[in-house]
Amino acid sequence: MDHPTETDLLNAILERGAERLGDITPLVMQRFYRRFPEARETFRTLGVAYGAQLEGEMIERTLHCLMNWLESPGEIEVLLMGSVPHHADTLDVPPAMYDGLLEATAATLAATIPPERADEAALWVRLTEELRAQIAQSAL
């Protein structure tokens, strides 16, 4: 890659993460639960017998946002504008937890970015910051 596009950089981050980490669900949830220990009960309550499945689905949705923000920010904005208030109002999941799951997912994948890939790291920080700002805006 002479001059990789942002999409190329994003794909490199995601592919490397998949190769090195496999299923990131346990790693993300461990990080998330350290920050939000009360969320374990929330996932148990909402997921009933399928708590682990719900965890995986939430991480899939978070990855969907990260993967599609560059190409379809409007789609992700609409998704978050509906999802964040719904989680807060209907499911009693505060926006801080929503943001925390994004942060935990992003941090888990960021750990696989080599130090010499400053371009990837900068893009990943920007994507994460933009999505966190969108979550905050969606919570208003």
Side-chain angles (χ1 to χ4, degrees), residues 1 16 27 40 59 66 71 83 88 116 119 127-128 135:
M1 273 188 256
R16 184 183 311 106
L27 298 169
R40 281 187 194 277
I59 292 170
L66 286 161
E71 299 292 324
S83 184
E116 65 274 10
D119 52 352
L127 286 176
T128 303
I135 289 169

Side-chain angles (χ1 to χ4, degrees), residues 4-83:
T5 66
E6 289 184 328
T7 302
D8 294 332
L9 296 174
L10 177 59
N11 288 336
I13 295 165
L14 296 169
E15 288 171 13
R16 184 183 311 106
E19 289 170 5
R20 291 190 182 169
L21 303 174
D23 178 9
I24 64 170
T25 302
L27 298 169
V28 171
M29 295 312 296
Q30 180 181 36
R31 182 184 296 263
F32 175 72
Y33 288 141
R34 274 196 307 267
R35 183 170 167 206
F36 295 98
E38 69 278 15
R40 281 187 194 277
E41 185 59 31
T42 301
F43 271 93
R44 258 191 234 109
T45 301
L46 296 176
V48 189
Y50 303 99
Q53 181 180 338
L54 179 59
E55 290 172 346
E57 288 174 7
M58 294 307 298
I59 292 170
E60 283 179 27
R61 290 181 186 144
T62 302
L63 287 170
H64 173 80
C65 291
L66 286 161
M67 290 168 36
N68 291 288
W69 181 251
L70 289 175
E71 299 292 324
S72 303
E75 171 201 339
I76 303 306
E77 181 179 335
V78 168
L79 183 148
L80 292 173
M81 292 297 279
S83 184

Side-chain angles (χ1 to χ4, degrees), residues 96-131:
M97 278 190 200
Y98 209 104
D99 177 76
L101 190 60
L102 170 70
E103 188 280 326
T105 304
T108 298
L109 289 169
T112 67
I113 300 172
E116 65 274 10
R117 293 312 314 244
D119 52 352
E120 290 179 15
L123 174 66
W124 198 244
V125 166
R126 192 185 98 218
L127 286 176
T128 303
E129 288 175 352
E130 289 176 3
L131 281 166

